[in-house]
Amino acid sequence: MIGIIFGSSMGNTEEAASFLAENLGLENELLNIANCDAAKLNGFDKLILGVSTWGTGDLQDDWDAFDFGGLKLSGKTVAIFGTGDAESYADSFCGAMGKLYDEVVKAGANVVGAVSVDGYKFDESEAVRDGKFVGLPLDADNESEKTEPRISAWIEQIKPHFA
């Protein structure tokens, strides 16, 4: 069972998580991080985590309130996706993905699903490591027409790690 866990304040990340859950083609459980603790996340062998970015790269409120100290993800596979606004926040686009990435790596996770920066217009992001995003960045505010195709392509990329 794959846990698809999201934090969403305006609905964009929840919408993306729902589309991903419906189209993944593998057994999954869709949960809001507001209703989860570390023990719940630790109960999954595989996780897909969604986070929106607020302000200048901050985690969404429910993720920000989450106690990462109890995460034990050693040997577990994790993929991350995030939503952000590349036009209004070009210097911190999807930066919360980078913060979430750092937390799950610290907890021992094997993170998969890096995405090329090609095709994205932004200046800087904490979510870019070694020239790639640590997960799938989405911009529902400015590129909503690209959201579903980007998720579908990403599903094909990560699916072998989750089968």
Side-chain angles (χ1 to χ4, degrees), residues 12-13 22 24 63 88 94 102 110 119 124 143 147-148 153 162:
N12 291 336
T13 309
E22 292 168 14
L24 185 60
W63 276 113
S88 298
C94 286
D102 290 340
N110 173 37
E124 291 181 42
E143 298 181 334
T147 297
E148 289 184 7
F162 287 88

Side-chain angles (χ1 to χ4, degrees), residues 115-128:
V115 171
S116 172
V117 297
D118 295 342
Y120 290 90
K121 294 178 184 163
F122 69 102
D123 294 331
E124 291 181 42
S125 176
E126 279 185 70
V128 174

Side-chain angles (χ1 to χ4, degrees), residues 6 18 23 26 29-30 53 56 63 72 91 94 96 101 117 140:
F6 67 90
S18 295
N23 292 278
L26 300 170
E29 186 175 352
L30 181 64
T53 299
T56 55
W63 276 113
K72 293 179 181 14
D91 58 346
C94 286
Y101 172 86
V117 297

Side-chain angles (χ1 to χ4, degrees), residues 4 10 16 20 30-31 47-48 53 59 78 98 109-111 113 123 129 133 137-138 146 162:
I4 301 176
M10 302 298 291
L20 195 140
L30 181 64
L31 299 167
L47 291 162
I48 300 174
T53 299
L59 288 169
V78 174
N110 173 37
V111 180
D123 294 331
R129 310 288 167 90
F133 285 104
L138 301 167
K146 294 181 180 181
F162 287 88

Side-chain angles (χ1 to χ4, degrees), residues 51-54 57-61 63-64 68 96-97 99-100:
V51 62
S52 55
T53 299
W54 287 89
D58 298 326
L59 288 169
Q60 182 268 347
D61 291 343
W63 276 113
D64 193 44
F68 289 100
M97 281 195 325
K99 287 180 169 56
L100 192 53

Side-chain angles (χ1 to χ4, degrees), residues 137-151:
L138 301 167
D139 185 346
D141 295 327
N142 305 296
E143 298 181 334
S144 60
E145 74 286 353
K146 294 181 180 181
T147 297
E148 289 184 7
R150 281 178 171 162
I151 293 172

